[in-house]
């Protein structure tokens, strides 16, 4: 029994039994393995009774007005492959029990008010599960919250299948672990707008599948990483960190697929290698607030910049 809403429009009806609970949530009962009540004005906390829908494979409750914490009972949904609770007003920490959802492919908790550290199986909790036990997950969308602490090395391990890792716009601190280079399938990694510090591990150059990397607006220091090995990179933003003063890297021009290159306030000096402007896909270059000198040579400019 399923009633699927999009805004106020009923998209699909198989058959329906609706119970209006005290918290204002439309509790849909029946045998369907999918629940999508997105883009509605649903309020109040998420009911713990959601954990009783053991056959559920898809739960999408995005862009509503849910408040309160994520009920640990969601960890009972062992068949769940898709969980989207983004764009609500959820608070509290990510429950450790999420780690029981070992079939999960997609986890989206973005644009809430979640806080606390990322739960992993070694965090001291007697429940030995966490985000690192979601080894089938391709998508961790945890951006735009108030999550804190270090980014645990466990989520970068080689047994993780992550393709999208979005942790931007949180309050993460500390350095990046060397293990970050073990993600063999990663396509997009966005760690921007945090309070991360220390040097960038050289193992980042092992992420040869990356097409988008954003480390902007942190407190990274030391030498700029050499990313010449990342031949698939299309979008790169290293802006607004505390990197050592250095010439504009020549390896920029080795990333032939670059479409967008940003190094604002990057402590760059010297001349811009003219080969950069000849990259065939390049559309945007942002070198604002640096110490670049000399003549600007625009020969063999790529077609996308013309």
């Amino acid at each position: 029994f399923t009633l699927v809403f999009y805004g106020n429009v009923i998209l699909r009806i198989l058959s329906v039994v609706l119970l209006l609970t005290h918290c204002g949530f439309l509790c849909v009962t029946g045998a369907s393995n999918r629940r999508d009540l997105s883009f509605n004005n649903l309020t109040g906390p998420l009911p713990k009774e959601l954990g009783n829908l053991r056959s559920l494979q898809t739960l999408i409750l995005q862009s509503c007005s849910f408040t309160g914490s994520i009920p640990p009972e969601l960890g009972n949904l062992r068949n769940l492959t898709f969980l989207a609770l983004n764009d609500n007003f959820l608070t509290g920490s990510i429950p450790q029990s999420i780690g029981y959802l070992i079939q999960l492919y997609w986890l989206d908790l973005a644009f809430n008010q979640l806080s606390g550290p990322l739960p992993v199986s070694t965090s001291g909790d007697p429940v030995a599960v966490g985000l690192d036990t979601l080894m089938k997950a391709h998508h961790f969308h945890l951006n735009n919250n108030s999550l804190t602490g270090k980014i645990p090395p466990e989520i970068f391990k080689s047994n993780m299948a992550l393709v999208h890792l979005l942790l931007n716009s949180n309050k993460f601190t500390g350095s990046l672990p060397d293990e970050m280079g073990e993600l063999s399938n990663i396509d997009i990694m966005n760690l921007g707008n945090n309070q991360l510090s220390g040097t960038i591990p050289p193992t980042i150059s092992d992420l040869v599948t990356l097409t988008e990397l954003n480390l902007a607006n942190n407190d990274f220091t030391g030498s700029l990483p050499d990313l010449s090995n990342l031949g698939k990179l299309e979008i790169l933003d290293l802006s607004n960190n505390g990197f050592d003063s250095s010439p504009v890297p020549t390896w920029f021009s080795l990333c032939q697929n670059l479409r967008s290159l940003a190094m604002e306030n990057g402590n760059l000096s010297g001349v811009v290698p003219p080969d950069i402007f000849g990259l065939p896909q390049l559309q945007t270059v942002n070198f604002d607030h640096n110490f670049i000198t000399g003549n600007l040579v625009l020969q063999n400019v790529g077609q996308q910049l013309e």
Side-chain angles (χ1 to χ4, degrees):
F1 295 90
T2 303
L3 179 60
V4 180
F5 291 82
Y6 187 95
N8 293 318
V9 181
I10 299 177
L11 300 179
R12 178 168 57 90
I13 301 178
L14 298 180
S15 62
V16 137
V17 177
L18 293 177
L19 298 176
L20 185 60
T21 65
H22 69 282
C23 63
F25 175 77
L26 292 177
C27 185
V28 186
T29 63
S32 172
N33 59 17
R34 175 183 172 88
R35 298 288 184 271
D36 187 345
L37 297 170
S38 301
F39 301 98
N40 279 286
N41 190 28
L42 299 171
T43 60
L46 294 170
K48 64 181 181 179
E49 289 79 10
L50 280 170
N52 297 331
L53 304 177
R54 303 296 179 97
S55 64
L56 208 58
Q57 294 180 9
T58 298
L59 179 61
I60 306 176
L61 302 174
Q62 74 176 87
S63 299
C64 295
S65 297
F66 291 114
T67 57
S69 59
I70 299 173
E73 288 80 4
L74 289 186
N76 297 331
L77 305 178
R78 306 297 172 87
N79 294 308
L80 206 63
T81 62
F82 196 107
L83 176 61
L85 305 178
N86 50 302
D87 293 286
N88 283 286
F89 300 99
L90 299 173
T91 56
S93 60
I94 300 173
Q96 192 102 15
S97 59
I98 289 289
Y100 283 123
L101 308 180
I102 59 174
Q103 303 301 322
L104 206 62
Y105 171 85
W106 187 291
L107 175 63
D108 194 341
L109 306 177
F111 292 96
N112 280 289
Q113 299 167 15
L114 299 172
S115 58
L118 297 180
V120 291
S121 60
T122 57
S123 59
D125 193 291
V127 180
V129 293
L131 294 179
D132 56 313
T133 54
L134 305 180
M135 290 181 286
K136 294 184 180 180
H138 284 208
H139 296 264
F140 280 175
H141 297 184
L142 308 177
N143 52 291
N144 294 87
N145 281 286
S146 295
L147 299 169
T148 57
K150 292 185 176 182
I151 300 176
E154 289 85 351
I155 67 171
F156 293 110
K157 290 297 183 67
S158 58
N159 56 4
M160 300 295 287
L162 285 174
V163 175
H164 289 181
L165 178 60
L166 308 183
L167 301 179
N168 51 294
S169 301
N170 279 286
K171 298 178 180 179
F172 291 116
T173 56
S175 58
L176 295 178
D178 289 337
E179 288 85 350
M180 71 179 301
E182 297 183 22
L183 292 177
S184 58
N185 300 306
I186 194 72
D187 179 41
I188 296 176
M189 181 183 293
N190 193 336
L191 309 180
N193 295 292
N194 281 288
Q195 299 164 27
L196 298 169
S197 59
T199 58
I200 306 296
T203 53
I204 195 172
S205 64
D206 296 332
L207 301 176
V208 295
T209 57
L210 266 183
T211 65
E212 181 176 336
L213 176 63
N214 189 328
L215 301 178
N217 302 305
N218 280 288
D219 298 313
F220 292 119
T221 55
S223 302
L224 274 174
D226 183 346
L227 305 181
S228 58
N229 201 37
L230 307 187
K232 295 185 177 181
L233 206 57
E234 298 178 8
I235 298 174
L236 175 63
D237 194 345
L238 302 175
S239 301
N240 298 307
N241 282 285
F243 294 119
D244 294 343
S245 176
S246 67
V248 180
T250 56
W251 61 257
F252 283 163
S253 59
L254 299 178
C255 298
Q256 290 291 303
N257 290 306
L258 273 179
R259 293 187 289 110
S260 177
L261 173 59
M263 192 66 194
E264 182 180 356
N265 194 29
N267 216 7
L268 299 178
S269 60
V271 298
V272 179
D275 290 348
I276 290 178
F277 299 110
L279 291 172
Q281 306 300 324
L282 195 63
Q283 301 175 22
T284 304
V285 179
N286 185 353
F287 287 164
D288 284 358
H289 296 91
N290 282 285
F291 302 97
I292 294 171
T293 58
N295 297 322
L296 186 61
V297 180
L298 296 176
Q299 295 177 351
N300 301 316
V301 174
Q303 292 183 352
Q304 301 296 326
L305 280 177
E306 288 182 351

